[in-house]
Amino acid sequence: MQESGTRAVAVSLALFGAAALCEIGGCYAWWCWRREGAGAWVLLPGMACLALFGWLLTLADSDAAGRAFAAYGGIYIVAALAWLRLAEGRPVTARDLAGAALCLAGAALILSAGRAAGR
C-alpha cells in the first residue's frame, strides 16, 4: 500500500508541475499582451494553456478540490521562480529559495492530509 501512496504522490506532483507550466504560460500570454505590446493573437494559446491547467488539476489524487489547489500552490511557486530565472533571466534570491522550500514543505503536508485521514 505504501508503494501505491508513493506513486499517487508522484503522479500528483507531475500533474501539478504540468499544470503550473500551463498556468504560467497562459498568464504570461496575457502579461505579454497587456504589458509588453504583443498582438492579441497570443491570447488564444494563452487561453488554451489556462484550460489545460484547469483540466490537469482535476486529475490529481485528492479528496477535495481545495486540498488539491492548496498543495498545487507550493508547486506553482517553485515553477514561477524557475520561470523567473529561465524565461525572464532574472536572478532568484536566497529568500526566494527559502520561501519556496517552506511552500514545498507545506504542499507535502497538505498532500499527506487526505491519506492520514484513512484514505
Side-chain angles (χ1 to χ4, degrees):
M1 179 121 26
Q2 174 71 17
E3 184 176 289
S4 133
T6 302
R7 184 179 185 294
V9 169
V11 169
S12 290
L13 291 175
L15 287 168
F16 290 159
L21 291 176
C22 289
E23 183 179 13
I24 291 169
C27 290
Y28 190 64
W30 285 87
W31 180 276
C32 289
W33 173 64
R34 291 283 299 155
R35 306 257 327 240
E36 296 181 8
W41 68 269
V42 302
L43 299 176
L44 290 176
M47 287 186 284
C49 283
L50 291 172
L52 183 57
F53 150 72
W55 179 72
L56 286 168
L57 278 186
T58 67
L59 301 178
D61 181 32
S62 181
D63 63 337
R67 184 166 286 126
F69 300 159
Y72 161 74
I75 305 306
Y76 176 83
I77 289 168
V78 171
L81 291 174
W83 182 275
L84 174 70
R85 179 69 188 120
L86 300 173
E88 296 184 65
R90 302 283 178 99
V92 176
T93 68
R95 285 179 180 236
D96 292 332
L97 295 175
L102 285 170
C103 291
L104 285 177
L109 187 61
I110 290 166
L111 273 175
S112 69
R115 291 176 220 321
R119 281 185 32 123

